[in-house]
Amino acid sequence: MRSTRLAALLGAVLTLVTAQFTGEASARADSDGIRGQLERIPGMTVVAVGEKQGHPHYALTYAQPVDHRRPQRGSFTQRLTLWHKATDRPTVLHTGGYTLASGTAQVTQVLDANQVSVEHRYFGPSRPAGAAGDDWSELTVWQEASDEHRVTQALRVIERGRWLGTGASKGGMTAAYHERYYPGDLDAVVAFVAPNDADNADDSAYDRFFATVGTAECRRALDAVQREMLVRRERLLPMFEADARENGDTFEETLGTTDRAYEFAVLDQVWNFWQGGSAEDCPDVPDARTAADDELYGWSKKHGLHVYKDENLGTNGSGPYYRQAATQLGWADLAFGHLRGVRRHPGLYRPDSVLPAAMRGAYDNGPMADVDRWVRTSGRRMMFVYGENDPWSAEQFTPSRHDSYRYVAPGTNHTAQLTDLPADQEAAAVATIRRWADVTHR
């Protein structure tokens, strides 16, 4: 859940590609003739060519089957980019798991590699037209892995070095799914803060996380604020409703009422505090016993009270993510023991609550359980990096013994990177990535 905030949190990683491509740069950028090779790939279209740090950067589209098992059902256009440096360098396949990412992946920086960035199917304009675009049954982890399989196979004729998959959060999950279904495509995978909800019925790992993260004093203060937000509902809800009117927020198509939207936002509050904040923010948590209404509500708006509204939850917003969470990826159904007696809407804290009716679906735990088993037993050359204070890192992938590794960055949240690791662990992780990419001689 929480994909709208993830997009904001990851910033440059998950922003849409903008009009950075100029005609003046095209001829200079394509001096090695890569554009012609791209245009000869069936289904590939070169939209524009620009420059990024002195190397050509191609905006592309690629025709993909809506259903890879039955390609006769039609196709859609998937957006991607290629940042090309040299055909013999490694290539990093990067996905944010949402819309087209324009940032540079850390693995790309480590290897000075080429980078292919892919937009996830059904996000942004990478969605079938017409009725097929409203059929969410093909928004599955296997179908997206098959999209990336075709991209990898098509571009390997140009980029002939080693290929590594990477991504953060949902992007890291997507890289792991690609590796599970098409283990011959990539030479290695480096996934950052990738949740692994192998058993959606068991969320005890999340409850253990919230019972141990930070200090006991900070946990008590956060829980007290969260409870007080619901205790004072009759006084604070009008503030929430006034903000909604001012911002033009509506809830009728998804959560239904402002009361449900307010409660959902409060339920999410402590999660958001740790996802994007740190223990350094703990001294600023107000005293729930004495804080005035304005202080309590104002602090909460700045520290986790995210508003889930119709405008951001439909087909053109984060709705596709919640559809995936509701049907395959799973979600955290927290115990909220400290909120007994002040909740009004049992069963509210689940992805279907924030989806329009037409996008809801039945959950199937099979794919996540399968991927989890495969990574544990058969995955090769896979690396997972997590943040110690990140709620999303509570349920982790367990790498196999086949040249695979897991690191936890101390004190970090959902932005954990290699550079957040202790120096010796960072050096070991970088050395492994370089070995996998066959660049140790450079």
Side-chain angles (χ1 to χ4, degrees):
M1 303 169 75
R2 294 159 281 272
S3 68
T4 305
R5 296 188 310 286
L6 293 183
L9 180 67
L10 295 176
V13 177
L14 299 179
T15 54
L16 291 176
V17 171
T18 56
Q20 58 180 308
F21 307 101
T22 62
E24 294 80 4
S26 297
R28 180 173 69 255
D30 194 47
S31 59
D32 53 0
I34 297 298
R35 176 172 189 155
Q37 296 181 61
L38 290 168
E39 290 175 335
R40 288 192 289 274
I41 297 173
M44 189 76 71
T45 300
V46 178
V47 177
V49 187
E51 259 189 42
K52 182 176 179 178
Q53 298 178 17
H55 298 284
H57 192 272
Y58 301 88
L60 309 167
T61 61
Y62 192 42
Q64 295 278 19
V66 173
D67 181 354
H68 287 272
R69 292 187 176 93
R70 294 175 291 175
Q72 69 276 11
R73 293 186 62 198
S75 63
F76 73 100
T77 299
Q78 187 172 42
R79 295 197 305 171
L80 61 152
T81 61
L82 167 62
W83 182 22
H84 172 77
K85 297 176 182 177
T87 58
D88 62 345
R89 288 191 187 181
T91 297
V92 171
L93 180 66
H94 175 228
T95 175
Y98 301 90
T99 52
L100 185 58
S102 62
T104 301
Q106 188 174 32
V107 178
T108 303
Q109 297 172 342
V110 165
L111 300 174
D112 192 21
N114 307 309
Q115 179 173 300
V116 176
S117 298
V118 180
E119 185 164 73
H120 199 292
R121 63 167 41 212
Y122 284 76
F123 285 82
S126 293
R127 181 181 169 204
D134 295 322
D135 177 6
W136 300 97
S137 62
E138 304 308 333
L139 177 54
T140 69
V141 294
W142 180 83
Q143 294 285 8
E144 171 61 19
S146 300
D147 292 341
E148 295 183 11
H149 168 66
R150 292 188 71 245
V151 168
T152 303
Q153 294 299 302
L155 294 180
R156 267 190 179 274
V157 301
I158 299 173
E159 309 298 4
R160 297 188 293 273
R162 299 281 180 90
W163 278 62
L164 288 80
T166 196
S169 191
K170 186 170 179 287
M173 298 159 72
T174 304
Y177 306 150
H178 182 175
E179 178 70 3
R180 186 271 172 268
Y181 294 119
Y182 296 97
D185 279 0
L186 304 171
D187 296 286
V189 164
V190 183
F192 296 91
V193 293
N196 176 37
D197 199 346
D199 181 1
N200 194 49
D202 180 8
D203 288 322
S204 58
Y206 293 110
D207 289 319
R208 287 193 299 272
F209 171 86
F210 286 108
T212 57
V213 64
T215 65
E217 181 183 17
C218 187
R219 294 193 299 271
R220 285 193 296 268
L222 289 169
D223 285 351
V225 166
Q226 191 176 34
R227 181 177 177 85
E228 195 67 15
M229 290 288 287
L230 295 179
V231 168
R232 302 191 201 181
R233 185 194 304 251
E234 300 305 326
R235 303 204 301 267
L236 300 183
L237 179 60
M239 299 182 185
F240 181 86
E241 291 173 333
D243 283 345
R245 286 192 297 271
E246 181 178 348
N247 298 325
D249 301 339
T250 61
F251 311 101
E252 288 79 8
E253 295 180 8
T254 52
L255 283 157
T257 66
T258 54
D259 190 68
R260 284 169 58 87
Y262 176 78
E263 183 165 313
F264 198 102
V266 172
L267 294 178
D268 223 20
Q269 186 170 339
V270 176
W271 183 297
N272 294 341
F273 176 91
W274 290 111
Q275 174 184 301
S278 73
E280 295 178 357
D281 301 313
C282 289
D284 297 328
V285 180
D287 186 335
R289 298 167 299 178
T290 60
D293 292 348
D294 287 345
E295 180 187 2
L296 192 68
Y297 183 71
W299 181 89
S300 296
K301 285 204 311 181
K302 297 177 181 178
H303 296 88
L305 192 73
H306 174 79
V307 181
Y308 291 80
K309 51 191 176 182
D310 294 342
E311 293 83 348
N312 292 340
L313 296 168
T315 58
N316 295 320
S318 57
Y321 163 72
Y322 291 105
R323 163 71 191 202
Q324 286 194 277
T327 56
Q328 289 191 322
L329 304 184
W331 62 91
D333 190 7
L334 304 180
F336 292 120
H338 62 291
L339 300 181
R340 290 191 183 97
V342 294
R343 296 176 62 182
R344 288 182 180 172
H345 307 288
L348 179 67
Y349 199 63
R350 54 190 303 138
D352 267 353
S353 297
V354 297
L355 281 173
M359 295 182 69
R360 297 169 189 163
Y363 179 73
D364 176 10
N365 194 74
M368 296 302 99
D370 169 74
V371 172
D372 175 70
R373 284 191 300 268
W374 187 88
V375 170
R376 287 172 181 265
T377 60
S378 303
R380 296 178 182 275
R381 296 181 297 279
M382 301 186 76
M383 182 182 294
F384 299 94
V385 179
Y386 290 100
E388 179 188 25
N389 290 347
D390 172 27
W392 290 106
S393 295
E395 290 191 332
Q396 303 177 3
F397 281 101
T398 298
S400 76
R401 297 180 179 180
H402 306 304
D403 195 13
S404 296
Y405 310 90
R406 179 171 61 189
Y407 297 96
V408 177
T412 55
N413 57 23
H414 202 54
T415 61
Q417 290 282 321
L418 295 172
T419 49
D420 295 313
L421 297 173
D424 59 335
Q425 294 184 20
E426 179 187 1
V430 168
T432 298
I433 293 169
R434 290 176 61 83
R435 172 171 59 81
W436 285 343
D438 192 28
V439 297
T440 55
H441 60 284
R442 293 184 180 179

